[in-house]
Amino acid sequence: MHRRDFLVFVATSTLAACRSTATRNEGRITAWGGSGHRDGQFRQPRAIGVMNGEVYVIDKTGRIQVFDEHGTFKRTWSTPAQKNGTPTCVSFSRRDTVLVPDTHYSRIFEYAPEGKTLEMWGSYGKGPDEFIYPTGIVEDDKGFYYISEYGMGAERIHVFDAQRHYVRQWGTFGEKKGQFNRAMDIVIDDEEALYVVDSANHRIQCFGTDGKFRHSIGGLGKEPGKLEFPYDAALAPDGTLVVCEYGNSRVSRFKLSGEFVAVYGGVGRAPGQFNGPRGIAVDEKGAIYVADTDNDRIQRMEVEGMS
């Protein structure tokens, strides 16, 4: 494993009225990884999450590797099968357990932080309590689970209660409000609004926990405030939403109302640049962690005003 620290200038953009302006904020970036199968190396890291100062990363080998916030390797375990594909998300419960939708095996795993399997639930199918490709999962204050899903027309959000009993669902395939095209992740804020990463529609859709549509963020484009194949999103301590864009190889930041705040990165291999990023997380200090997928590395960015 190789870890490198860089002092860089992170480019940001803000929108004022109908025009955009650019500013530059100094920040520090830590990168670690490299292509390989050894501890601390990756084969296309695609999911990332942060809990209690530890960084959990899943790559296309099905390994779940855990690091400290600066990239020092701590431990690892693997999902039990990888032939059909590997998970696209790692999330956490209110009990500080690790939640992993095993996307291509149509099930959900719950692990203890050290890697012990606690629960496995779900099976393949289009039924109300079955999954095709589950991609993201969050838990609300009542213990209800909200799960994003795609595949074979099953473009929907599933809701289960604390005992994992089916409650309701919403969504169909399409481009209209409340419809999805490859929903890749789901995030919940402190007011229990849900933000669904609607990847192939190039937007984030916001809903109440009852499934009622509220507003959308983004839309296809390369200009600041637009999105191209967003794959993951995370909430920052300052109440903003950060989104990693696979298509634009960058991170965009928005207010929860949808107002654009800043953009970081762009395609490349230099510090602060990305190549097809698929995962993003933010820690309690406001540092952003990006699964820089096609560069086989993780980047940690300290950005002014995020804490």
Side-chain angles (χ1 to χ4, degrees):
M1 180 190 69
H2 301 282
R3 187 176 70 246
R4 301 179 66 188
D5 295 329
F6 307 92
L7 190 63
V8 302
F9 287 95
V10 178
T12 68
S13 300
T14 57
L15 291 182
C18 295
R19 62 186 182 88
S20 63
T21 60
T23 62
R24 294 169 70 86
N25 292 330
E26 187 178 287
R28 183 175 295 278
I29 292 179
T30 301
W32 72 85
S35 181
H37 293 272
R38 295 181 179 178
D39 293 346
Q41 296 179 326
F42 306 106
R43 291 293 188 185
Q44 293 187 297
R46 59 190 304 180
I48 190 166
V50 181
M51 180 177 70
N52 297 333
E54 294 187 322
V55 184
Y56 294 73
V57 182
I58 306 177
D59 70 4
K60 283 194 171 183
T61 69
R63 292 178 300 164
I64 301 165
Q65 297 189 72
V66 185
F67 304 85
D68 71 13
E69 63 181 6
H70 300 295
T72 300
F73 174 83
K74 301 185 75 172
R75 60 188 179 277
T76 187
W77 72 93
S78 294
T79 55
Q82 300 85 39
K83 183 178 180 180
N84 292 347
T86 50
T88 61
C89 167
V90 56
S91 186
F92 307 99
S93 74
R94 297 181 304 148
R95 301 167 302 285
D96 287 349
T97 59
V98 183
L99 300 172
V100 176
D102 196 6
T103 306
H104 297 276
Y105 287 88
S106 309
R107 59 192 177 185
I108 308 294
F109 278 104
E110 183 173 4
Y111 295 102
E114 69 274 10
K116 179 183 178 181
T117 300
L118 301 175
E119 298 282 349
M120 189 279 289
W121 52 290
S123 60
Y124 179 84
K126 290 186 178 181
D129 58 353
E130 297 174 322
F131 304 113
I132 300 296
Y133 297 134
T135 55
I137 182 170
V138 292
E139 185 184 11
D140 70 13
D141 287 342
K142 301 180 184 68
F144 279 42
Y145 298 95
Y146 301 81
I147 300 167
S148 55
E149 180 186 2
Y150 79 92
M152 297 180 65
E155 302 278 348
R156 57 190 176 180
I157 304 300
H158 259 126
V159 186
F160 294 82
D161 66 17
Q163 288 73 45
R164 301 176 181 84
H165 297 145
Y166 171 80
V167 177
R168 61 182 176 274
Q169 66 184 52
W170 72 86
T172 57
F173 175 80
E175 300 177 353
K176 296 179 180 178
K177 296 176 181 178
Q179 294 183 318
F180 307 106
N181 187 355
R182 194 166 285 236
M184 289 303 299
D185 192 32
I186 187 167
V187 177
I188 190 168
D189 70 12
D190 291 340
E191 303 299 321
E192 297 202 340
L194 296 163
Y195 300 83
V196 180
V197 181
D198 189 10
S199 180
N201 281 328
H202 314 285
R203 65 188 178 186
I204 310 295
Q205 293 195 72
C206 178
F207 301 88
T209 54
D210 57 1
K212 291 183 179 179
F213 174 84
R214 294 186 178 181
H215 65 272
S216 65
I217 299 171
L220 178 60
K222 295 187 178 297
E223 62 268 34
K226 297 294 184 179
L227 300 169
E228 185 173 349
F229 292 106
Y231 260 60
D232 199 8
L235 285 170
D238 70 344
T240 57
L241 185 74
V242 292
V243 181
C244 74
E245 301 179 56
Y246 179 83
N248 284 326
S249 289
R250 68 186 185 189
V251 171
S252 288
R253 182 175 162 206
F254 299 89
K255 293 183 179 179
L256 296 183
S257 62
E259 181 183 348
F260 172 74
V261 176
V263 64
Y264 312 99
V267 66
R269 295 186 59 84
Q273 294 181 325
F274 309 104
N275 187 5
R278 293 183 181 229
I280 194 166
V282 182
D283 69 16
E284 61 184 9
K285 302 174 186 176
I288 301 173
Y289 299 78
V290 179
D292 189 5
T293 305
D294 293 337
N295 281 330
D296 291 314
R297 65 183 179 184
I298 303 302
Q299 294 198 68
R300 178 185 188 270
M301 306 190 304
E302 296 177 10
V303 178
E304 288 184 358
M306 289 286 290
S307 58

